[in-house]
């Protein structure tokens, strides 16, 4: 079956231009710093973010792991939002590798304020572990692709820096944030110390993420990347696709956002389904409980009809729009969701 795959924007396959660039890539041994394509990618990423240096890493998880490690010492706390990817989806790497615990703060829309953070900052004392780092996720995946207001971010950075605390951004989808706000990633990240962003999500590269920041921390990060097994050799084959992702793909993200808004609007017309209204970027959560089906059962039904969308809880599913799904695909997916909801209401699934 030819599935419409809305499980994530990670499912995008490399474009024809990426495949051609990969085949033609000039490569060398990146552990010796001799891969010209990776060197170019790292230079361009640093330039685009207006930071001193960048490091190519195989995954976003490794980029965040290294980002946390370069700022912290064992036994510290990392302040983050309670649904943060670093806390819930990275196999506790912040504890396993950096020896830190999360101090999680719940925020309705996933974006923290300085006031919330300030209340949770701890100095070293006889009981408390000191705060070592503040982490923000932008866009916020599990809050529905929400975007930090620029002045909120700037205030967090300014106040954190006054206290000597660094700020790391999980910017897996920071280009979506920039598109949504009609700004640049450099402006968003202006006062942030380190940013991890993914080439392999909305930007469509087959693999790879980047960590950008000050040269001394990126140099340190390069050693941690090797420790973690992320020292790749002729990585330029991936870097060539990454360069196209970085240079060409951000300009089209508005299409994905328009598709997400359109789907959310259509889903809200279906009996028994409630979607988060007006998703700001490419992530849509929708609640199916009133159809009489649990979200996992609903997801199974969709799969049987050719649409892939994962359940995120007993009631809710999460879908993402991306380069590999057109508006027509979105319309077909909506019809399948409508048909599934209609069948469910009349013939509740018992399996
Ligand atoms: N997110 C994936 C899953 O892990 C949930 C997805 O399908 O959305 N930060 C954020 C905000 C992410 O959403 C992800 C991946 C990562 C980091 C990790 O990136 P990878 O998968 O490259 O390790």
């Amino acid at each position: 079956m030819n599935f419409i795959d809305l499980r994530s924007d990670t499912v995008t396959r490399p474009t024809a231009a990426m495949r051609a660039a990969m085949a033609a890539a000039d490569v060398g041994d990146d552990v010796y710093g001799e891969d010209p394509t990776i060197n170019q990618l790292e230079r361009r990423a640093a330039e685009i973010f207006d930071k001193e240096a960048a490091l190519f890493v195989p995954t976003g998880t490794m980029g965040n792991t290294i980002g946390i490690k370069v700022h912290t010492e064992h036994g510290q706390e990392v302040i983050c939002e309670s649904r943060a990817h670093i806390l819930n989806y990275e196999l506790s790497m912040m504890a396993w590798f950096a020896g830190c615990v999360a101090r999680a703060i719940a925020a309705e829309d996933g974006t923290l304020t300085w006031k919330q953070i300030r209340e949770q900052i701890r100095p070293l004392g006889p009981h408390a572990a000191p705060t070592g780092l503040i982490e923000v996720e932008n866009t916020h995946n599990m809050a529905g692709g929400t975007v930090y207001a620029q002045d909120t971010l700037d205030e967090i950075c300014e106040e954190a820096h006054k206290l000597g605390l660094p700020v790391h951004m999980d910017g897996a989808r920071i280009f979506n944030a920039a598109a949504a706000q009609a700004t640049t990633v450099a402006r968003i990240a202006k006062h942030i110390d380190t940013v991890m962003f993914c080439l392999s999500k909305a930007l469509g590269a087959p693999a790879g993420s980047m960590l950008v920041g000050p040269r001394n921390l990126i140099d340190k990060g390069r050693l941690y990347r090797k420790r973690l097994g992320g020292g790749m050799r002729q990585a330029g084959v991936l870097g060539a696709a990454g360069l196209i992702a970085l240079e060409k793909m951000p300009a089209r993200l508005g299409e994905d956002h328009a598709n997400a808004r359109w789907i959310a609007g259509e889903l809200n017309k279906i009996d028994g389904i409630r979607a988060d209204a007006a998703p700001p970027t490419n992530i849509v959560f929708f609640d199916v409980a009133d159809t009489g089906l649990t979200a996992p059962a609903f997801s199974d039904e969709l799969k049987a009809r050719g649409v892939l969308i994962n359940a995120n809880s007993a009631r809710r599913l999460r879908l993402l729009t991306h380069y590999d799904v057109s508006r027509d695909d979105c319309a077909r997916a909506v019809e399948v969701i409508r048909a599934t909801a209609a069948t469910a209401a009349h013939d509740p699934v018992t399996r």
Side-chain angles (χ1 to χ4, degrees), residues 265-274 291 334 337-339 341-342:
E266 292 302 305
L267 294 186
N268 278 325
K269 295 176 191 163
I270 301 173
D271 262 0
I273 296 201
R274 264 179 301 119
T291 64
V334 166
I337 294 169
R338 196 189 314 281

Side-chain angles (χ1 to χ4, degrees), residues 8 10 59-61 64 85 90 137 141 170 172-173 196 198 201 318:
S8 183
T10 58
T59 63
T61 299
N64 279 334
H85 198 277
E90 298 187 6
E137 186 172 313
N141 186 345
D170 176 348
R173 299 184 178 85
M196 184 288 289
C198 296
K201 297 199 167 58
R318 181 193 74 146

Side-chain angles (χ1 to χ4, degrees), residues 47-61:
E47 260 166 33
I48 289 169
F49 278 77
D50 200 15
K51 299 285 184 207
E52 284 174 10
L55 179 69
F56 180 68
V57 287
T59 63
T61 299

